Amino acid sequence: MKNFSFKRLLLLIKKQYADNTKQYLYGIAALIGIIVITMFIWILEGGKSYSENTLLELYFAGLYITGAIFASTSFTVLDTTAKGISWLSLPASHTEKLVCAIVYNLLFFTVVYTICYTSVAACADMYIRSLASKHADIKIDSYINWQRPKSMSW
């Protein structure tokens, strides 16, 4: 088991998906709910001025916070003795198990989060633009400022 095998890795990824499909679907539903609530608060608190910089900041803050929560659940199988022994006795190397966790935490989560966020943010953006077309006093900053703010000391 000391050698790394892509075949075993793919089998481990498939097993992880089969074992946790329901948990992942509930997580995606909760993630969409959190993003919808965040966008709703952003729309309510925006008043008459909306900035795409805020959307970008919300994206990265949400990715960081929800990513940390998702990553913390990666090894919950080791919480109970029976499940932990079963998981540790799988015919896969420790490296393959680690790479499987990295695939789910880094690739899968980032892609799913980005799809969910951009879908909800696009709906919020369409709503705000429809409001702006009806009310001339609503201002939309549709550029993203990539420069470091002058107030930041880093």
Side-chain angles (χ1 to χ4, degrees):
M1 293 297 146
K2 293 181 181 178
N3 297 333
F4 185 84
S5 168
F6 282 106
K7 182 179 179 182
R8 281 195 309 254
L9 176 63
L10 290 176
L11 290 172
L12 188 60
I13 289 172
K14 288 178 185 177
K15 181 188 181 322
Q16 177 79 6
Y17 177 76
D19 291 347
N20 298 312
T21 302
K22 186 187 269 187
Q23 179 183 355
Y24 292 146
L25 292 176
Y26 287 144
I28 290 170
L31 180 65
I32 290 172
I34 290 169
I35 294 170
V36 165
I37 291 169
T38 304
M39 289 296 146
F40 185 70
I41 292 171
W42 177 64
I43 290 170
L44 288 178
E45 294 296 319
K48 302 205 182 282
S49 177
Y50 297 95
S51 171
E52 287 186 3
N53 279 335
T54 307
L55 283 177
L56 187 65
E57 292 166 3
L58 289 173
Y59 171 80
F60 284 117
L63 181 65
Y64 179 76
I65 293 168
T66 57
I69 293 169
F70 181 77
S72 71
T73 64
S74 294
F75 297 104
T76 56
V77 71
L78 297 173
D79 286 347
T80 60
T81 305
K83 288 182 180 180
I85 290 172
S86 173
W87 187 78
L88 289 172
S89 64
L90 281 174
S93 69
H94 297 298
T95 306
E96 292 161 350
K97 293 175 186 174
L98 180 63
V99 169
C100 179
I102 289 171
V103 163
Y104 274 98
N105 289 322
L106 190 64
L107 296 176
F108 173 75
F109 178 77
T110 304
V111 168
V112 168
Y113 179 82
T114 301
I115 290 170
C116 293
Y117 186 85
T118 53
S119 300
V120 174
C123 293
D125 188 55
M126 284 190 297
Y127 176 73
I128 289 170
R129 290 189 188 280
S130 71
L131 282 179
S133 67
K134 295 175 186 173
H135 305 285
D137 57 342
I138 294 179
K139 180 183 158 200
I140 299 173
D141 293 330
S142 59
Y143 68 92
I144 296 176
N145 183 6
W146 295 103
Q147 300 299 317
R148 182 177 68 174
K150 293 179 183 175
S151 63
M152 300 296 282
S153 61
W154 44 272

